[in-house]
Amino acid sequence: MKIHFADIAWSDAPRFWLANARIPVCLLANPAMSADVDPEGVLRVDVLVEDGKIARIVPALDARDDAIARVDLGGRQVWPTLIDVHTHLDKGHSIERNPNIDGTFNNARLAAAADRQNWKAPDLRRRMGFGLRCAHAHGVSAIRTHIDTYHDNAERSWPVLREMREEWAGRVDLQAVSLCPIELLMESFGDRVAAIVKESGGLLGGVTRPAIGTHGAPQANIDEQLDRLFALAIRHDLDIDLHVDETDDPAAATLPIIAHSALRHGYKGRVVCGHCCSLAVQSESEIDRTLDLLAEADISIVTLPTVNMYLQDRRSGRTPRWRGVTVVHEMIKRGIPVAAAGDNCRDSFYAYGDHDMVDTFRQAVRILHFDHPLSEAPSLVASVPSRIAKFEGHGLIGEGAPARLIVFNARSLNEIVSRPQADRVVLEGGRRLAAKLPDYSELWADDDLPGTTAAAE
Ligand SMILES: [Zn+2]
């Protein structure tokens, strides 16, 4: 029987079967039932939803002779709502006001620093709220955002973050990481940053490039900088999430130094490193040595494929020669956890995006060659980031978990990767989510749109 997606009768009942669903095994909390898995690593199941939670997952049957309502999905894919484990909600949607004149990393950095003066609470609320509404409507239920934490804005941005986290709890769960060049933490400011992070329930972060400049060879005092970072983290019992080696300069090799530092300070399993682009342009033996260290220090990696492809190897008037991403396949082969995430959205570091992790997933598959087979690809944006960031109740479909799900008008992973999935249905607490994408006019009124003639008049 053919069931058209538009004809599916979604249920508001407290108890119903999501029948005839396909779920990738890598997204199941209990993959033990995976006997009848198809060549894409996908299993056909019926899912019992009860009081907003997943009560049972059983092999699919054409008919069940119980009296429970049945929503027949016609063999379509069901995923958990997704996780964006590395983004910058505080910078997002500032592109019209603050464009990057040539798309390079250095001008992105300068433009972002200049824009921070505009980050008063109402501006932050408006742009962060817009980003969260986009993510929510797209089926993203957990976000780890980095928050620029400099002398000029730390005291303004974190209260807004705490407010938004409260407001969005249960719809989009938020984690936050402080972000500034780690050399700034060497001063007494480092104590203030760690205290703000602690009182906000966040993570200690930072970027390993110099305060003024771009990523390159490690700074002479990098060990002291890292000792200070780890000392602050240990004092306040904070996990760490860093921006590392975001360049194609092979001399940028901070990653193994961070791994040594994590081992020296007994911080195994508590450090996440994002980007790590330059590792991909180092020699095979250097890559090998660094991967050994990452595995030993139990460091998790986040790759940001769309932003790496945008910023890396960009020179005006010249066609880029490389994709900018780190050695994801090699890391996974070593057992190093790797997640993919969205990073910047419509700001000076990345001009595009909509906080849509399905879009990030589809692009990641292509940029990373994470296909043939596609079977493990969904874990990059769901189960792995859930584990890396300890997002309880997100990223896996299992009995007892909240029924926060995405139903795709697609039966195979190939069908998911091939189309934008703009017609996906998001379920929250088992109910079809009514939230729609916010209109751009809610961000800036047309006559207020920065950079336009109307706004300039
Ligand atoms: Zn970032």
Side-chain angles (χ1 to χ4, degrees):
M1 186 177 63
K2 278 204 188 84
I3 298 166
H4 284 281
F5 198 57
D7 297 335
I8 293 175
W10 305 97
S11 178
D12 281 338
R15 196 165 183 231
F16 63 92
W17 286 104
L18 270 179
N20 207 1
R22 281 192 172 93
I23 303 180
V25 171
C26 69
L27 300 180
L28 283 171
N30 174 14
M33 55 183 298
S34 57
D36 295 320
V37 71
D38 74 11
E40 278 191 330
V42 174
L43 196 65
R44 228 171 151 121
V45 293
D46 292 346
V47 178
L48 181 65
V49 175
E50 203 173 279
D51 300 326
K53 291 193 167 165
I54 294 165
R56 284 176 69 197
I57 303 171
V58 297
L61 284 182
D62 286 338
R64 285 192 186 279
D65 54 1
D66 53 31
I68 303 169
R70 207 178 130 81
V71 178
D72 194 327
L73 298 179
R76 290 180 173 84
Q77 292 252 340
V78 176
W79 288 20
T81 47
L82 301 179
I83 297 169
D84 194 348
V85 76
H86 178 137
T87 186
H88 297 262
L89 290 174
D90 58 347
K91 291 192 177 85
H93 305 282
S94 58
I95 184 79
E96 287 95 353
R97 178 170 75 199
N98 189 43
N100 183 333
I101 50 167
D102 61 2
T104 59
F105 185 98
N106 198 42
N107 279 318
R109 183 181 69 78
L110 296 171
D115 195 52
R116 271 205 304 277
Q117 62 176 321
N118 297 313
W119 298 9
K120 309 277 161 43
D123 175 67
L124 284 165
R125 272 189 213 110
R126 173 165 64 167
R127 291 182 298 100
M128 289 173 75
F130 189 87
L132 282 159
R133 287 167 67 197
C134 296
H136 185 228
H138 283 307
V140 172
S141 61
I143 290 178
R144 176 181 283 186
T145 181
H146 296 259
I147 297 285
D148 272 28
T149 306
Y150 288 77
H151 293 277
D152 60 0
N153 82 306
E155 308 292 341
R156 287 204 308 268
S157 291
W158 281 85
V160 176
L161 175 276
R162 294 197 295 265
E163 190 186 297
M164 310 283 310
R165 187 174 54 194
E166 189 81 10
E167 185 188 332
W168 281 86
R171 292 178 293 161
V172 181
D173 291 336
L174 270 177
Q175 293 180 357
V177 189
S178 60
L179 175 60
C180 65
I182 60 169
E183 71 178 35
L184 296 189
L185 302 177
M186 300 289 279
E187 314 153 15
S188 61
F189 180 60
D191 298 296
R192 184 64 197 129
V193 171
I196 293 174
V197 168
K198 183 63 181 177
E199 73 193 31
S200 307
L203 292 93
L204 193 60
V207 53
T208 55
R209 63 167 170 76
I212 298 172
T214 53
H215 292 261
Q219 293 173 267
N221 66 341
I222 184 71
D223 273 320
E224 289 93 303
Q225 290 183 21
L226 288 167
D227 283 345
R228 167 74 167 155
L229 173 86
F230 277 95
L232 289 170
I234 289 164
R235 189 192 308 160
H236 294 278
D237 191 23
L238 300 168
D239 286 352
I240 290 175
D241 190 332
L242 296 168
H243 281 67
V244 180
D245 297 337
E246 194 179 349
T247 175
D248 62 355
D249 176 356
T254 321
L255 190 55
I257 303 173
I258 294 168
H260 278 301
S261 195
L263 288 167
R264 196 164 65 241
H265 291 281
Y267 243 53
K268 264 183 154 179
R270 298 193 65 180
V271 179
V272 173
C273 291
H275 295 292
C276 313
C277 307
S278 61
L279 184 61
V281 292
Q282 292 165 6
S283 71
E284 292 300 324
S285 58
E286 256 174 297
I287 292 174
D288 263 359
R289 273 199 302 277
T290 299
L291 295 186
D292 284 346
L293 280 167
L294 292 176
E296 193 188 341
D298 197 6
I299 289 176
S300 299
I301 302 295
V302 178
T303 184
L304 296 310
T306 51
V307 171
N308 291 160
M309 199 155 86
Y310 177 86
L311 285 174
Q312 294 301 305
D313 206 13
R314 183 185 281 271
R315 290 169 190 85
S316 184
R318 176 184 175 275
T319 309
R321 307 289 203 271
W322 85 302
R323 297 171 193 227
V325 287
T326 193
V327 292
V328 169
H329 291 274
E330 294 80 350
M331 288 171 168
I332 292 173
K333 209 168 155 193
R334 290 294 173 103
I336 299 161
V338 183
D343 210 0
N344 300 74
C345 185
R346 301 185 67 245
D347 63 25
S348 58
F349 285 88
Y350 186 58
Y352 316 112
D354 204 31
H355 306 280
D356 178 2
M357 284 306 294
V358 174
D359 179 55
T360 299
F361 164 75
R362 295 170 62 247
Q363 297 202 57
V365 163
R366 295 173 167 104
I367 296 168
L368 297 165
H369 285 181
F370 216 90
D371 48 8
H372 312 299
L374 282 165
S375 50
E376 291 301 315
S379 64
L380 288 174
V381 291
S383 39
V384 176
S386 158
R387 196 167 80 236
I388 288 178
K390 305 175 185 108
F391 269 123
E392 290 279 319
H394 294 271
L396 282 169
I397 298 179
E399 294 179 354
R404 277 191 287 238
L405 302 166
I406 304 176
V407 182
F408 292 103
N409 184 13
R411 293 152 310 167
S412 63
L413 290 173
N414 178 284
E415 289 177 359
I416 289 184
V417 175
S418 298
R419 282 189 178 168
Q421 307 306 331
D423 57 354
R424 79 196 76 156
V425 168
V426 179
L427 304 181
E428 192 176 72
R431 305 278 173 88
R432 184 175 186 173
L433 186 69
K436 297 268 178 280
L437 284 174
D439 198 283
Y440 283 129
S441 65
E442 295 174 50
L443 188 61
W444 314 109
D446 189 41
D447 53 5
D448 202 21
L449 183 67
T452 63
T453 349
E457 276 163 5

